Amino acid sequence: MMHDSAEYSLIPTGPAPEALYSDDVQVRWVMPEIFHDIPIDATDDEDAVHRLGELVEKVLPGAGEEAQTALAVTCALGVDELLAAGAEYAGICVTVVDGAACTATVFASLIDSPPSDTLQQTVRVIAAELRALGEGEVSRIELPCGWAVSHVGTRDVKVLGELTETGEGFTFSTPFIRVYVPLPNGRTLVMEMSTPTTPGWDMFSTIFGNIVSSIRLFRADGSPLITSLVGE
């Protein structure tokens, strides 16, 4: 049984995964309870299978073996793409919007920031580089945690023929929102939400707005860090 789209709320999380402790900066955020962790940090195949089984039981309780197996396969196939994108955390949501089954994935990663003298300049450089690609809408924004860049666009996703009933592969466009939050240690937090199901776009983009607005940064001593207040 899937969750109704009206039944979701934001709940406090614990500290972000250890990999998101970037040197002297700790990153935390809040995930909605209808999102469930994808085991991208599984230690081996046995661990991955076990945790994927737990995942589909939580996401599709009582849905039947066929539906749960299909979701497990989808998540398993997506792990390689998430790891290729540098994901350190990933979560998936399956819900119903206006009678249509919809899914969304959120992931977080850390990348090297482009060379710059200040955080504000880093934001400008990231925005300029994204605009130069000519793909989607790029905006400089200010979150409660500080400066950031938003990128809204679409990308093509290929489905292999062996995964379809007809045996023929196909390509479809998937919309996404990606937010870049430069950190004062030469690293940038990247968070992305994508969904292949158009009916869920408005709901998922709203939820993602809440997620990135909940990002909080802390120094090694536990004191709060707001990048837009860091001296230029």
Side-chain angles (χ1 to χ4, degrees):
M1 181 175 62
M2 300 180 186
H3 297 281
D4 184 83
S5 61
E7 297 179 353
Y8 71 88
S9 60
L10 296 176
I11 58 174
T13 64
E18 186 175 353
L20 288 181
Y21 285 66
S22 176
D23 298 331
D24 57 340
V25 178
Q26 181 189 123
V27 182
R28 298 190 186 191
W29 63 88
V30 176
M31 287 298 293
E33 58 186 356
I34 59 172
F35 272 84
H36 302 274
D37 295 355
I38 298 174
I40 60 174
D41 60 340
T43 55
D44 52 38
D45 290 345
E46 182 178 353
D47 182 36
V49 170
H50 174 71
R51 291 169 63 184
L52 282 171
E54 292 181 334
L55 169 63
V56 297
E57 284 286 351
K58 293 177 181 177
V59 176
L60 297 176
E65 183 177 353
E66 183 176 352
Q68 291 183 348
T69 299
L71 178 60
V73 171
T74 298
C75 290
L77 293 173
V79 166
D80 286 342
E81 292 185 6
L82 289 166
L83 293 176
E88 305 284 0
Y89 165 83
I92 187 171
C93 172
V94 179
T95 188
V96 175
V97 180
D98 296 332
C102 295
T103 65
T105 301
V106 168
F107 79 80
S109 65
L110 289 167
I111 62 174
D112 291 333
S113 300
S116 62
D117 296 328
T118 66
L119 284 170
Q120 192 169 21
Q121 184 181 3
T122 302
V123 168
R124 294 193 187 102
V125 171
I126 292 174
E129 291 178 346
L130 292 172
R131 290 193 181 103
L133 297 175
E135 301 172 355
E137 179 182 344
V138 178
S139 305
R140 284 187 286 168
I141 60 176
E142 188 170 358
L143 299 172
C145 67
W147 288 303
V149 178
S150 170
H151 181 200
V152 182
T154 60
R155 61 169 167 266
D156 290 336
V157 176
K158 294 182 179 180
V159 177
L160 300 177
E162 51 263 36
L163 300 178
T164 68
E165 293 183 359
T166 63
E168 298 182 0
F170 61 92
T171 300
F172 63 94
S173 294
T174 298
F176 67 86
I177 306 175
R178 184 175 282 196
V179 171
Y180 298 76
V181 182
L183 307 176
N185 57 8
R187 302 282 277 169
T188 291
L189 168 69
V190 181
M191 294 196 76
E192 179 188 288
M193 183 281 294
S194 63
T195 174
T197 45
T198 303
W201 172 257
D202 288 344
M203 186 192 77
F204 289 135
S205 57
T206 298
I207 292 175
F208 186 66
N210 290 332
I211 293 172
V212 296
S213 293
S214 77
I215 295 171
R216 296 295 185 270
L217 308 176
F218 300 88
R219 297 182 177 88
D221 62 3
S223 61
L225 169 64
I226 300 175
T227 60
S228 52
L229 300 181
V230 175
E232 291 298 317

